[in-house]
Amino acid sequence: MASLSASLLSHFLVLSLLLCVAVGEYPKCPGDTTVYHFVINKYYDNLTQEQVDTVISHYVDLTNYDSRVMQFLWGKDLGPEVEDRADGFQYGYLTTLCSVQDTIDYLNAPFTKAFADEFFPASEKAIAINYVVNHTFPGKGYGTSGKCGPCNLLLRDASI
């Protein structure tokens, strides 16, 4: 179980970084800190698509109630045809805030708590993580060595 949790966590962190790259830039926070509140979930199978869409629209609406939210992104898993590692999770949501305190305040705000009372009962399973984004990648690769062993092998094998 610990291995599965670590594997899922690493996939979530990679996905959140890829979401930022996909939109072309990181949200600009006034300080040096950017915090991601990352949630994935699987809705109960007995919910209609209309019910799921309503919950998602309420999640999106949270951005209208709190100026601390710098960016909100969400999407649906592409399915096993692309990569079969979602462990049944269907949707991912990424909220960007500019400090740990902003994140605490956002999560404890009455409108966020009211939404949680709707979201979690509709979810068969859900995971939420909050982390400060590390924007540093020293050298030409990852870490201090400037080399990414698995990356180099992939690049060599792909002749890129």
Side-chain angles (χ1 to χ4, degrees), residues 102-124:
D102 282 354
T103 305
I104 292 167
D105 293 344
Y106 168 77
L107 294 175
N108 288 301
F111 46 82
T112 306
K113 287 186 173 203
F115 171 72
D117 289 342
E118 173 187 21
F119 178 79
F120 288 107
S123 299
E124 181 178 322

Side-chain angles (χ1 to χ4, degrees), residues 85 108 125 142:
R85 293 185 179 197
N108 288 301
K125 58 183 178 176
Y142 297 101

Side-chain angles (χ1 to χ4, degrees), residues 19-146:
L19 286 171
C20 287
V21 171
V23 297
E25 63 181 55
Y26 295 99
K28 304 291 188 276
C29 288
D32 292 334
T33 302
T34 302
V35 177
Y36 287 161
H37 171 66
F38 187 64
V39 177
I40 60 170
N41 80 314
K42 177 188 186 316
Y43 290 104
Y44 280 105
D45 292 336
N46 64 344
L47 294 178
T48 66
Q49 189 59 51
E50 183 177 330
Q51 290 171 309
V52 169
D53 291 346
T54 298
V55 174
I56 293 171
S57 72
H58 292 165
Y59 204 155
V60 173
D61 284 345
L62 287 178
T63 63
N64 296 322
Y65 296 108
D66 199 322
S67 62
R68 292 175 287 229
V69 175
M70 297 298 291
Q71 182 179 50
F72 177 80
L73 302 169
W74 72 276
K76 186 172 182 179
D77 181 62
L78 296 174
E81 299 82 22
V82 176
E83 183 178 37
D84 194 16
R85 293 185 179 197
D87 194 36
F89 290 97
Q90 301 166 317
Y91 292 87
Y93 313 88
L94 181 66
T95 305
T96 305
L97 300 114
C98 290
S99 73
V100 173
Q101 188 60 52
D102 282 354
T103 305
I104 292 167
D105 293 344
Y106 168 77
L107 294 175
N108 288 301
F111 46 82
T112 306
K113 287 186 173 203
F115 171 72
D117 289 342
E118 173 187 21
F119 178 79
F120 288 107
S123 299
E124 181 178 322
K125 58 183 178 176
I127 295 174
I129 62 171
N130 302 284
Y131 59 95
V132 174
V133 177
N134 183 346
H135 292 284
T136 60
F137 297 97
K140 293 186 178 182
Y142 297 101
T144 56
S145 69

Side-chain angles (χ1 to χ4, degrees), residues 9-27:
L9 180 59
S10 68
H11 287 296
F12 303 148
L13 295 175
V14 168
L15 176 61
S16 63
L17 287 174
L18 291 175
L19 286 171
C20 287
V21 171
V23 297
E25 63 181 55
Y26 295 99

